[in-house]
Amino acid sequence: MHGITDDDVVDARPFEKILPRLRQVTKGKTICAYNASFDRGIVLGHIWRAGKKPMHLEPRDSWFCLMEAYADWIGSYRWLRLGGSHRALGDCQAARNVLITMSKGRGTTVTPSPAAPGDPIPGPPVGTVLAATALPAQAASEA
């Protein structure tokens, strides 16, 4: 599936040796993964096989699924390929690019591209907290 061979990982450190550093860099943080349920399962499986305790890496609310957030953002209801080549660096860079794209706040969850010049800029989606707290158009222009 990923094309990683035994030769590719022959010099890799065992998981139990990197686990303390993984715990250190993730403690008190939300772990952002493109496919969080898959990545969480892989990490927890390695932890259990090593006979260690998962600690803060186990709770689902410690993980944020970037793929689900991106699918919501573009209005998709399907699994979205990341396109990072199944290598750590490529996948991290691709996930980072998705996060950066979403952070620009372009459009709404169903219109992720910027409005064309002269197009009205949509307000917050109806029924959301943002819509309930938004200023009416006239009040906003006077503010």
Side-chain angles (χ1 to χ4, degrees):
M1 173 181 188
H2 48 64
I4 298 172
T5 68
D6 289 343
D7 289 340
D8 292 333
V9 296
V10 71
D11 295 324
R13 294 173 54 202
F15 183 79
E16 57 270 12
K17 297 289 184 184
I18 64 144
L19 181 58
R21 179 75 175 135
L22 178 62
R23 286 182 177 146
Q24 180 185 20
V25 300
T26 58
K27 188 173 183 172
K29 297 180 175 77
T30 300
I31 303 161
C32 183
Y34 190 74
N35 186 346
S37 63
F38 174 81
D39 291 338
R40 178 179 171 268
I42 294 294
V43 169
L44 292 178
H46 284 300
I47 291 170
W48 291 322
R49 277 189 293 283
K52 305 294 182 179
K53 294 181 181 178
M55 300 167 60
H56 67 275
L57 297 170
E58 185 171 21
R60 289 187 195 281
D61 63 356
S62 293
W63 295 77
F64 176 79
C65 186
L66 186 54
M67 180 175 64
E68 290 175 10
Y70 187 55
D72 288 346
W73 192 76
I74 64 170
S76 175
Y77 299 100
R78 61 185 185 89
W79 183 85
L80 301 172
R81 182 178 298 276
L82 178 59
S85 72
H86 283 294
R87 296 295 191 269
L89 181 59
D91 285 354
C92 286
Q93 288 172 331
R96 179 180 180 269
N97 289 339
V98 168
L99 188 57
I100 288 170
T101 297
M102 289 177 20
S103 74
K104 293 179 181 176
R106 301 175 307 140
T108 67
T109 57
V110 293
T111 58
S113 57
D119 283 353
I121 298 174
V126 175
T128 65
V129 173
L130 291 175
T133 60
L135 293 173
Q138 182 179 357
S141 64
E142 294 170 1

